[in-house]
Amino acid sequence: EKGGYEHFMAKEIHEQPKVIKDTMTSRIIKNEKIRLDDITITKEQIKNIDKIYIVACGTAYHAGLIGKNAIEKLARIPVEVEVASEFRYRDPIINEKTLMIVVSQSGETADTLAALREAKRQNARVIAVTNVVGSSISREADDVLYTWAGPEIAVASTKAYVTQLIAMYIIALFFAENKGTLSNEEIEAIKEEMLLLPEKAEKLLQNEEDIKAFAEENHMHKDMFFLGRGLDYAVAMEGSLKLKEISYIHSEAYAAGELKHGPIALIEDGTVVIALATQESLFEKMVSNIKEVKTRGANVLAFAMEGHTEIEKTVDTAKYIPRTIELLAPVLSVIPLQLLSYYTSIAKGCDVDKPRNLAKSVTVE
Ligand code: M6R
């Protein structure tokens, strides 16, 4: 049942090239409009949306952060992303021009379901992005976009996350098409890059040994920091959550530019910093932030896009992800972070698939 792997998490990490592909199949086709056959929202309704809330918990919330960026950039609709347990209790402004997108692997998360109900009560339309056909969230939403990740057994979400990212890009492109905010050429260029993601993810999975070695060398640390800017910051949050969940190492994700406003006080000789520098437009700024922690003695493992070898001058260990457009980089950069938490967990002798105190689906509010 684990397909030859030692843990479900390893199996699920390795299924990512396939599930990325499955989630795009029949929806993204070259030179054709985005096909979302089951989505009933009309062009008119899309044009009328004046605000989108993306509401979710945990890893699904982190996918929502990428969704905000994609939708705002491509379709020019303002998006707020919020954790469901906060959204519900703050009397959010919702009306018939509001669209809510809920993201939930299980489709059963109690807070997310309650947020969906609140939005519907106030006449907002709800699109659910979920992995489970027939789940409560899929039944109650107006529209459902299924992620085709297949059953995810490990408590730590991996393959569901990358398919949620793909779903976010698809929604952003679909809205952009309907609103006319991008030219056909721009849309085709993004689709083309998306279609290349499965093979690039596969390539990344062939380089596990380096990450494993880093995990084995560093699993005794008590803290780790994840830094990034823009989309890399959202991926840093996901990497940090994964590490906490399954290796019980305290870690924090910070927007790299925010470091000097406080947290840099925590950096000392040997502190492990995982720096994400895949966003080309923010690369130089990120390198300056890395220098700030290096000066304080940090041990930096950095991820950049292939070709940016100049980063090696600044960091202790540099790793590369295959080149893609920066919007799509999270689909690739998250993979080494998943592997890092996986191998750290193993090095520490933790229960990878069933970490303490956690359940796969959180059905209490
Ligand atoms: O089933 P859901 O996507 O609604 O679950 C949300 C979170 O509980 C979930 O992502 C949790 O954070 C995972 N354990 C993360 O790995």
Side-chain angles (χ1 to χ4, degrees):
E1 46 168 11
K2 291 181 192 146
Y5 292 96
E6 207 179 325
H7 302 97
F8 282 108
M9 187 179 177
K11 170 174 176 271
E12 290 162 6
I13 288 174
H14 285 267
E15 281 170 348
Q16 291 180 116
K18 177 178 184 302
V19 299
I20 292 168
K21 186 158 178 270
D22 291 348
T23 302
M24 295 192 294
T25 300
S26 84
R27 293 168 170 161
I28 300 208
I29 300 167
K30 265 189 198 163
N31 299 317
E32 283 185 32
K33 292 222 168 300
I34 301 282
R35 267 206 232 153
L36 291 176
D37 294 339
D38 305 331
I39 303 274
T40 59
I41 190 168
T42 63
K43 195 176 191 125
E44 233 22 68
Q45 284 166 329
I46 293 171
K47 283 188 173 156
N48 274 331
I49 300 169
D50 67 4
K51 182 171 35 178
I52 297 177
Y53 286 116
I54 302 181
V55 181
C57 303
T59 287
Y61 165 74
H62 296 153
L65 296 171
I66 309 282
K68 169 188 164 79
N69 194 290
I71 295 169
E72 290 191 340
K73 192 179 163 98
L74 307 187
R76 310 305 292 160
I77 307 170
V79 184
E80 281 187 49
V81 195
E82 211 161 318
V83 289
S85 55
E86 285 297 312
F87 178 84
R88 294 177 49 204
Y89 300 109
R90 70 168 177 89
D91 195 11
I93 301 164
I94 303 172
N95 57 44
E96 53 299 331
K97 290 186 158 186
T98 311
L99 174 75
M100 178 185 269
I101 302 174
V102 291
V103 187
S104 174
Q105 186 284 127
S106 62
E108 302 297 345
T109 300
D111 283 313
T112 310
L113 181 59
L116 174 162
R117 288 181 178 152
E118 179 58 21
K120 291 209 70 178
R121 196 181 63 79
Q122 296 198 53
N123 301 318
R125 231 192 131 84
V126 180
I127 299 182
V129 172
T130 181
N131 196 40
V132 180
V133 179
S135 57
S136 305
I137 285 174
S138 76
R139 280 185 276 114
E140 295 193 28
D142 297 294
D143 283 311
V144 186
L145 184 69
Y146 285 107
T147 48
W148 295 119
E152 193 182 58
I153 310 293
V155 165
S157 181
T158 54
K159 63 174 180 170
Y161 173 77
V162 293
T163 61
Q164 286 161 355
L165 296 184
I166 298 297
M168 293 293 127
Y169 299 133
I170 291 176
I171 291 174
L173 285 170
F174 181 65
F175 287 176
E177 250 175 29
N178 279 279
K179 289 196 66 192
T181 45
L182 293 182
S183 68
N184 270 346
E185 292 70 42
E186 287 169 315
I187 292 181
E188 284 307 313
I190 297 170
K191 283 162 60 186
E192 208 166 300
E193 285 294 338
M194 284 179 75
L195 293 167
L196 294 172
L197 289 171
E199 65 188 67
K200 291 179 181 173
E202 194 65 69
K203 191 172 160 199
L204 265 174
L205 287 166
Q206 282 155 13
N207 280 325
E208 260 175 73
E209 287 308 311
D210 301 358
I211 301 287
K212 185 176 175 200
F214 184 91
E216 283 169 356
E217 259 165 52
N218 291 287
H219 73 278
M220 295 312 287
H221 284 271
K222 284 184 70 181
D223 314 274
M224 287 193 194
F225 287 82
F226 288 78
L227 302 183
R229 284 175 170 259
L231 292 177
D232 280 340
Y233 174 38
V235 177
M237 290 167 80
E238 175 57 10
S240 172
L241 174 65
K242 219 88 303 175
L243 188 75
K244 291 181 188 92
E245 276 191 290
I246 61 167
S247 79
Y248 317 143
I249 292 178
H250 163 245
S251 76
E252 302 216 25
Y254 257 95
E258 184 66 10
L259 255 197
K260 50 187 160 305
H261 299 284
I264 200 161
L266 295 167
I267 307 291
E268 51 187 21
D269 217 21
T271 305
V272 175
V273 172
I274 317 289
L276 293 157
T278 74
Q279 300 292 294
E280 310 245 75
S281 57
L282 298 164
F283 184 77
E284 296 305 328
K285 292 269 175 224
M286 192 58 209
V287 170
S288 317
N289 296 133
I290 296 174
K291 285 184 181 150
E292 289 163 2
V293 295
K294 270 309 299 168
T295 319
R296 274 91 188 170
N299 170 14
V300 180
L301 164 63
F303 293 93
M305 266 202 229
E306 261 166 13
H308 278 293
T309 46
E310 68 267 37
I311 200 160
E312 289 168 22
K313 288 197 292 267
T314 315
V315 306
D316 299 272
T317 317
K319 301 270 167 241
Y320 301 97
I321 63 159
R323 293 201 76 79
T324 182
I325 50 174
E326 51 178 34
L327 180 66
L328 305 179
V331 177
L332 302 176
S333 56
V334 75
I335 294 175
L337 303 189
Q338 296 166 341
L339 291 168
L340 177 67
S341 63
Y342 176 73
Y343 285 115
T344 305
S345 177
I346 292 179
K348 289 191 67 173
C350 302
D351 189 342
V352 175
D353 285 336
K354 284 195 171 31
R356 68 189 184 200
N357 308 344
L358 296 173
K360 183 64 184 162
S361 170
V362 183
T363 50
V364 289
E365 293 184 19

